[in-house]
């Protein structure tokens, strides 16, 4: 059972008058809390059914086995788990997530990982090969993104870490260079949640600027939002929700003129937009060719086709990069330094990332981009033929769609029933499919369109059936109820960490 269905059911079980009261005033939430807690216990138990399918038929450990388990038995069990799960992503039913997924590519990365499995770049003297790989990953990415010799950076563990690192860097730079004690950052509403996370973690005021009808950041609103405490302006290339590239040229120029940092979040687009441009697709400028761009995040784990756990954060100049580093000289454990948040790091992931990049090369990335972009164009064209749907934003490889007549979340639910794992979006309500090489396989685009037509048809014929996700997004539209949803999401994470041995009695 999906989380949307759970919350929908939760809402249906809770007395509607109680829910209404919660909506009226934040202070009334404690009154409903008891009832919501009780119902959500029951809901959690239902949710556990789908999230914890291995409670039976598989060994479960809540303490170390007294004697170690036979290795082959462990491998056999893992193979069973893989077999149960891989069809969904292999057959292209998932938005984003696995960007390459080709058997031979996976085998190759696995071999590279195995060769390097013991390496840790924290010990640069023991594994200079790993630092060579990391330096070259950064150099190749900088070159791809219009960088010259002054562009430098580091490898990180993923898009979120690259973004967190960049924001921490600007905070420390602004404190040191500009004496800014109460930092602010300006971020379009479409930028990734990682920026909000950074603002929370690093105590920075985040000013959200609206986007225009094309879902691009509003330059005039950004200009008005600048204060003497602004440390960085952010733009996406492209944004996660709708796949559109912000007006990076104008925004970065504004930042340059005011002496503010500008971060391009190219986590999603960094490894596909350069090749899209080469293929002749319209790609607005977004990289270091623009003098105002002072940092870029680009994810090797996405269209770089590396394994999960690697990304690149780039800076214009070493001076800025120094604000990212951590060093200490008075620790009892000796002199200590680390470029990113982690201490010890998996050098094997950097080795696999390097191997992916050099084995694919410019030609391979261009060919992959062509396949993905052509498939996306076909899907967009077909969605244009469905009268109830309209595309949101003009994107090259993220297909976002909404409806003026149907509950789009009901369409999302129907797609879920047909095994599709798509993303629900809000403000405005929409759904997206982020295309990868999985979707460029023969027949996948056709299956997607056939299932989408069937889903739209179903929702049109059953207008009274409320989509599971409608309830969730209905709640998040009301400020007091956002707290209820947020609590529920925390309990969802708790559930993920439950084992058969520590399931709370209520949710059993
Ligand atoms: C534009 C953008 N930025 C940042 C991220 C965060 O990346 P990660 O999930 O690797 O932390 C994503 C993820 O999809 C993204 O699309």
């Amino acid at each position: 059972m999906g989380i949307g269905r759970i919350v929908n059911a939760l809402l249906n079980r809770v007395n509607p008058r109680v829910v209404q009261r919660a909506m009226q005033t934040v202070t009334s939430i404690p009154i409903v809390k008891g009832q919501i807690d009780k119902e959500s216990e029951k809901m959690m138990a239902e949710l556990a059914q789908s999230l914890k399918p291995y409670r039976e038929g598989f060994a479960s450990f809540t303490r170390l086995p007294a004697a170690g388990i036979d290795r082959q038995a462990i491998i056999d069990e893992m193979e069973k788990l893989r077999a149960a799960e891989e069809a969904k992503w292999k057959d292209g039913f998932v938005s984003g997530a696995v960007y390459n997924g080709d058997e031979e590519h996976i085998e190759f990365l696995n071999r590279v990982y195995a060769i390097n499995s013991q390496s840790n770049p924290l010990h640069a003297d023991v594994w200079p090969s790993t630092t060579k790989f990391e330096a070259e990953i950064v150099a190749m990415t900088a070159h791809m993104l219009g960088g010259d010799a002054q562009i430098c950076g580091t490898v990180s563990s993923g898009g979120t870490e690259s973004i967190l690192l960049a924001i921490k860097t600007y905070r420390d730079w602004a404190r040191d260079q500009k004496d800014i004690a109460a930092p602010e950052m300006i971020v379009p509403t479409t930028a990734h949640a990682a920026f909000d996370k950074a603002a929370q973690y690093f105590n920075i005021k985040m000013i959200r600027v609206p986007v225009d009808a094309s879902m691009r950041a509003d330059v005039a609103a950004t200009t008005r939002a600048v204060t003497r405490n602004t440390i960085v302006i952010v733009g996406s290339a492209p944004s996660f929700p709708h796949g559109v590239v912000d007006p990076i040229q104008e925004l970065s120029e504004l930042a340059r003129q005011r002496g503010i940092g500008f971060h391009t979040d190219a986590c999603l687009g960094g490894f596909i937009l350069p090749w899209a441009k080469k293929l002749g697709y319209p790609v607005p400028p977004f990289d270091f060719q623009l003098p105002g761009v002072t940092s870029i995040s680009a994810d090797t784990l996405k269209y770089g086709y590396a394994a999960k756990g690697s990304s690149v954060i780039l800076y214009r100049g070493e001076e800025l990069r120094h604000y990212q580093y951590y060093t200490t000289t008075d620790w009892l454990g000796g002199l200590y330094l680390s470029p990113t948040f982690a201490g010890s790091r998996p050098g094997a992931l950097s080795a696999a990332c390097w191997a992916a990049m050099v084995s694919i090369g410019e030609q391979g990335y261009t060919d992959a981009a062509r396949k993905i972009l052509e498939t996306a164009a076909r899907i967009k064209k077909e969605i244009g033929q469905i009268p109830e749907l309209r595309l949101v934003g003009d994107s090259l490889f993220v297909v976002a769609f909404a409806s003026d007549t149907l509950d789009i979340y009901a369409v999302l639910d129907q797609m879920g029933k047909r095994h599709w794992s798509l993303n629900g979006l809000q403000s405005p309500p929409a759904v997206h499919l982020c295309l990868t090489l999985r979707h460029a396989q023969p027949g996948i685009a056709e299956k997607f369109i056939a299932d989408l037509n069937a889903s739209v048809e179903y929702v049109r014929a059953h207008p009274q059936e409320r989509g599971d996700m409608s309830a969730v997004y209905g709640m998040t539209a009301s400020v007091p109820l956002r707290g209820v949803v947020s609590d529920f999401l925390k309990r969802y994470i708790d559930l993920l960490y439950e084992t058969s041995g520590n399931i709370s009695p209520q949710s059993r």
Side-chain angles (χ1 to χ4, degrees), residues 164-468:
L164 293 176
L165 287 166
I167 300 303
K168 178 217 115 59
T169 296
Y170 286 114
R171 184 198 63 177
D172 294 355
W173 163 78
R175 188 165 51 201
D176 188 40
Q177 298 280 320
K178 302 174 90 180
D179 227 6
I180 293 179
E184 297 175 6
M185 57 200 245
I186 305 177
V187 181
T189 49
T190 46
H192 195 271
F195 291 97
D196 181 51
K197 198 176 196 179
Q200 290 188 30
Y201 282 9
F202 305 130
N203 202 17
I204 296 169
K205 183 172 169 193
M206 189 168 99
I207 298 171
R208 289 178 199 263
V209 286
V211 291
D212 62 19
S214 67
M215 309 314 283
R216 289 178 175 80
D218 183 329
V219 179
T222 308
T223 310
R224 286 194 298 275
V226 173
T227 72
R228 42 192 293 281
N229 285 330
T230 307
I231 59 168
V232 62
I233 298 173
V234 171
S236 308
S239 66
F240 169 82
H242 317 104
V244 300
V245 179
D246 282 320
I248 308 278
Q249 186 152 15
E250 292 90 325
L251 294 173
S252 64
E253 193 48 28
L254 166 68
R256 195 180 67 80
Q257 283 168 11
R258 305 286 179 98
I260 300 166
F262 184 88
H263 182 82
T264 299
D265 177 14
C267 280
L268 196 56
F271 278 80
I272 188 166
L273 290 182
W275 318 114
K277 189 173 173 198
K278 198 174 142 201
L279 289 166
Y281 285 87
V283 177
F286 69 96
D287 63 14
F288 286 115
Q289 300 269 323
L290 298 171
V293 172
T294 49
S295 58
I296 300 182
S297 47
D299 286 354
T300 41
L301 69 87
K302 298 190 174 85
Y303 295 101
Y305 309 126
K308 292 287 175 276
S310 81
S311 169
V312 176
I313 173 68
L314 298 172
Y315 296 102
R316 188 179 290 281
E318 284 184 346
E319 190 198 344
L320 198 50
R321 180 171 64 170
H322 278 187
Y323 290 101
Q324 179 183 301
Y325 295 164
Y326 172 78
T327 62
T328 180
T329 52
D330 61 356
W331 179 40
L332 275 67
L335 298 179
Y336 185 90
L337 53 114
S338 70
T340 59
F341 294 130
S344 291
R345 290 187 296 118
L349 285 180
S350 290
C353 174
W354 180 89
M357 289 173 78
V358 298
S359 68
I360 294 170
E362 293 190 354
Q363 190 58 52
Y365 282 114
T366 310
D367 291 344
R370 182 186 295 109
K371 286 186 201 154
I372 293 169
L373 298 171
E374 284 175 359
T375 310
R378 278 203 345 258
I379 290 182
K380 275 167 61 179
K381 194 162 161 239
E382 292 291 339
I383 290 179
Q385 309 295 314
I386 304 177
E388 289 83 357
L389 300 183
R390 68 180 160 79
L391 292 162
V392 184
D394 189 14
S395 164
L396 290 178
F397 54 89
V398 177
V399 181
F401 50 94
S403 176
D404 297 323
T405 50
L406 302 178
D407 174 356
I408 197 69
Y409 300 128
V411 175
L412 175 64
D413 286 342
Q414 284 303 313
M415 287 299 275
K417 295 203 166 86
R418 291 166 177 78
H419 310 296
W420 290 92
S421 183
L422 308 178
N423 288 86
L425 313 172
Q426 56 182 334
S427 315
V431 171
H432 91 201
L433 170 71
C434 177
L435 272 95
T436 70
L437 280 171
R438 295 288 88 208
H439 304 109
Q441 301 175 94
I444 305 293
E446 290 69 21
K447 169 114 185 80
F448 177 80
I449 289 299
D451 285 344
L452 188 57
N453 270 304
S455 297
V456 165
E457 182 61 48
Y458 182 92
V459 176
R460 197 193 313 125
H462 302 81
Q464 72 292 353
E465 272 185 36
R466 207 169 172 221
D468 292 341

Side-chain angles (χ1 to χ4, degrees), residues 57 76 119 462:
D76 291 347
S119 91
H462 302 81

Side-chain angles (χ1 to χ4, degrees), residues 41-80:
E41 289 294 350
K42 286 190 213 151
M43 298 297 126
M44 279 294 156
E46 287 175 44
L47 194 50
Q49 302 268 312
S50 67
L51 285 174
K52 302 279 167 180
Y54 306 123
R55 280 181 177 165
E56 264 137 53
F58 289 86
S60 176
F61 299 94
T62 53
R63 51 168 287 178
L64 286 169
I69 309 287
D70 174 60
R71 285 180 179 156
Q72 191 54 48
I74 294 171
I75 297 286
D76 291 347
E77 187 135 315
M78 295 232 173
E79 293 289 5
K80 265 204 263 173

